[in-house]
Amino acid sequence: GDSVTQMEGPVTLSEEAFLTINCTYTATGYPSLFWYVQYPGEGLQLLLKATKADDKGSNKGFEATYRKETTSFHLEKGSVQVSDSAVYFCALVSGGGADGLTFGKGTHLIIQP
Amino acid sequence: DTEVTQTPKHLVMGMTNKKSLKCEQHMGHRAMYWYKQKAKKPPELMFVYSYEKLSINESVPSRFSPECPNSSLLNLHLHALQPEDSALYLCASSQYGGGSNTGELFFGEGSRLTVL
């Protein structure tokens, strides 16, 4: 079946540091890939997505590129802020999405001033 | 309106109580979901309603009973719960259901349930 593997953390960085959160996947066919973010006390929000190989998703300074050859979708940001502290979930949907999203375990990101 | 609204935000109930969680969206979405999320874990899919019909039930115990009265509303009826059912219950919606699901889900803020 489909699966998503991501570093669990917590990942602690100083403000303005460069961020990478690794995500790799296993799926049949050609999945769509997502990063969702969950701020403390809130539900999940879609951060960015990519639907085919070599697509780059971007939003709020975050970027991720769909790499089919390495089955990866790593999340990056050039300069993090304290307000980026949250839990980040990599996810995929495949086969038309009838079974819903497959989530990774989540990465807790802590940004210190 | 791009919101999914869940009520109540917090619920404390005893093991013999009957309560309900409610979820509402007015985006015209045709699929709605219930997820259960334990602390520091990813959401676990419980139920999916696609075009107002139950399409997925992920082997959830019968003490959880979903209901979709119309395309905008989703309920989760709770009865005889156990302390281990304490969790954040998230509702979500997507524009299309079934085999056309794009994976773009809109989540509510959740109902935090504590079972004593």
Side-chain angles (χ1 to χ4, degrees), chain A residues 34 36 38 44 49 96-98 104, chain B residues 37 56 99 101-105 107:
Chain A
F34 307 85
Y36 280 83
Q38 186 172 29
L44 279 71
K49 68 172 184 176
Chain B
Q37 187 179 28
I56 292 179
N101 180 12
T102 63
E104 293 185 49
L105 268 59
F107 284 84

Side-chain angles (χ1 to χ4, degrees), chain A residues 8 32 34 36 38 41-46 49 51 89 93 95-101 103-106 108, chain B residues 33 35 37 40-43 45 48 55-56 58 88 90 98-110:
Chain A
E8 291 187 40
S32 293
F34 307 85
Y36 280 83
Q38 186 172 29
E42 298 185 11
L44 279 71
Q45 301 174 25
L46 178 63
K49 68 172 184 176
T51 58
F89 292 97
V93 67
D99 295 331
L101 284 165
F103 285 99
K105 291 189 175 181
H108 185 195
Chain B
Y33 308 75
Y35 284 85
Q37 187 179 28
K40 300 187 189 302
K41 298 291 186 185
L45 184 63
V48 182
S55 62
I56 292 179
E58 292 285 356
L88 182 67
L90 292 165
S100 301
N101 180 12
T102 63
E104 293 185 49
L105 268 59
F106 289 73
F107 284 84
E109 293 195 350

Side-chain angles (χ1 to χ4, degrees), chain A residues 85-101:
Chain A
S85 298
V87 181
Y88 291 81
F89 292 97
C90 186
L92 67 82
V93 67
S94 66
D99 295 331
L101 284 165

Side-chain angles (χ1 to χ4, degrees), chain A residues 37-111:
Chain A
V37 58
Q38 186 172 29
Y39 297 103
E42 298 185 11
L44 279 71
Q45 301 174 25
L46 178 63
L47 180 61
L48 53 84
K49 68 172 184 176
T51 58
K52 61 183 188 299
D54 300 325
D55 268 2
K56 177 186 282 188
S58 61
N59 186 23
K60 300 182 180 180
F62 290 90
E63 291 183 340
T65 301
Y66 188 144
R67 301 281 187 207
K68 190 167 182 292
E69 63 276 14
T70 54
T71 61
S72 65
F73 193 55
H74 304 321
L75 183 68
E76 296 182 336
K77 187 175 185 184
S79 176
V80 292
Q81 305 300 312
V82 172
S83 56
D84 294 326
S85 298
V87 181
Y88 291 81
F89 292 97
C90 186
L92 67 82
V93 67
S94 66
D99 295 331
L101 284 165
T102 298
F103 285 99
K105 291 189 175 181
T107 301
H108 185 195
L109 176 65
I110 301 169
I111 307 300

